Amino acid sequence: MRTKIATAVSALVTSPRLRALGRRRRALMRRLSGRRPVIHYFHQAGDPYSVLAVQAVPLLRARYGVDVEIHAVSAPDRAAAPEPDMLTAYGLRDAALSGRLAGFSLDADVSALAPDASAKALAKGDALRRKLGHYLGAVFYFEGEWYWGLDRLDFLEERLAPFRRADAPALSIAPRREVTLAPCKTPARPPVFEAFISFRSPYTWLAIERVTKLAAHYGADLKWRFVLPMVMRGLPVPLAKQLYIVRDCKREAERLGLPFGRVADPVGAGAERGLSVLHHAIPAGKGAGFAQSFLQGVFAEGIDAATDAGLIRLAARAGLDDAFVKKALADPSWREVAEKNRADMFAGGAWGVPSFRVEGGAMLWGQDRLWAIEEALRAACESP
């Protein structure tokens, strides 16, 4: 019953109809008050993603008939960003990739755009960010919805389309880049492609199909490196973060043409049971199929993986029978493998999933960076 209630709540939270109603209600309130549209941008000093995001502010003001208010905020607390030192190191490298796509630089002088960061200003900005329901820097808020950094600026611009100035260019400020599966010669040796995944990660669900297609197209040796969910490793996930993630995943799923929203959270027994089956499915050549079935089931179909009926149903879609599932559940050796994978992932500079690397190279975190993984796979194919 608890799972059914949670699934119904998640479906409501991610409901496109509810989202559309909220947008119309806020737009009506704005028009009735006679106010101009206002974007709130939250800037975190020293954050590389904020250095990039604030460079978009003048472009937003120039292209759209909107006001943009900039607020200084503090760094997120450890509950929202549990590995601050790793985030600092990874963020510099990852933001450089993101900036390259948009033509923005981490070396740009943004002092004229950055807001007052006095203690009083920070307290005010933090309070507003908390009230509106977020926890990070480099985020834009517009009439009830959040957009993080350059990665989600295209979604914000979709919302702003009615306010676009007549002379504004049609191209997005920060265009997306997606995998292309471009022609590539068969490699002399299959490049090793590692995918660090979790069965409680909705972003893993968004990535899983593209990951398998990338590996097949570029002749890669795909290694599934499963880990326990973050919260089961003692890393908390605050409510504001949970809400932002499921709503963000919903719009990403819509963009990718994937179902999402009827979530049966597999945290605990569901994830553990799923990983035990995955551990046995991988050497049987059914790892990708089971992972995709499991993730679709728990994030789009409300299937409870903590029950025998639910897990058997998810396994059957991947060609795994009841006997296979029972044998896997009786074997606890998956735990050692999951811990080794976690240690390797941390050693590579990532602490969350999905994360990827090719030929032992730089770790890339997130389904938004699969285009960069494709670059690495193509380079590996073209190397002598």
Side-chain angles (χ1 to χ4, degrees), residues 96-162:
L97 276 178
S98 182
R100 173 157 64 95
L101 289 183
F104 295 163
S105 172
L106 289 175
D107 297 325
D109 181 5
V110 297
S111 57
L113 294 170
D116 169 30
S118 65
K120 183 177 180 180
L122 286 171
K124 184 178 180 181
D126 291 346
L128 179 59
R129 178 177 63 177
R130 185 167 53 251
K131 176 183 177 182
L132 296 176
H134 217 278
Y135 50 95
L136 290 176
V139 285
F140 299 87
Y141 175 87
F142 179 66
E143 296 189 351
E145 295 174 38
W146 290 95
Y147 309 87
W148 178 74
L150 299 184
D151 285 355
R152 298 295 182 267
L153 206 59
D154 60 335
F155 284 136
L156 173 58
E157 289 193 85
E158 287 179 8
R159 294 277 313 276
L160 299 178

Side-chain angles (χ1 to χ4, degrees), residues 359-371:
E359 291 287 274
M363 192 80 79
L364 293 173
W365 182 7
Q367 58 99 22
D368 297 296
R369 300 293 178 261
L370 285 175
W371 63 268

Side-chain angles (χ1 to χ4, degrees), residues 6 9-10 13 77-81 129-136 146 200 231 235-248 265:
V9 170
S10 67
V13 168
D77 60 28
R78 294 187 71 92
R129 178 177 63 177
R130 185 167 53 251
K131 176 183 177 182
L132 296 176
H134 217 278
Y135 50 95
L136 290 176
W146 290 95
R200 201 202 180 205
V231 71
L235 301 176
V237 184
L239 178 60
K241 187 173 183 178
Q242 293 179 47
L243 289 173
Y244 175 73
I245 286 173
V246 296
R247 287 168 175 154
D248 181 58
D265 190 350

Side-chain angles (χ1 to χ4, degrees), residues 250-272:
K250 178 62 176 181
R251 61 193 179 192
E252 281 290 284
E254 290 172 343
R255 182 180 69 85
L256 295 166
L258 294 172
F260 182 85
R262 296 189 64 243
V263 179
D265 190 350
V267 67
E272 291 183 340

Side-chain angles (χ1 to χ4, degrees), residues 2 23 28 39 46 49 68 112 130 175 244 270 288 308 329 363 370 375:
R2 181 180 299 175
R23 288 180 177 181
L28 177 60
I39 299 169
Y49 298 107
V68 183
R130 185 167 53 251
Y244 175 73
D308 288 342
L329 291 175
M363 192 80 79
L370 285 175
E375 285 187 348

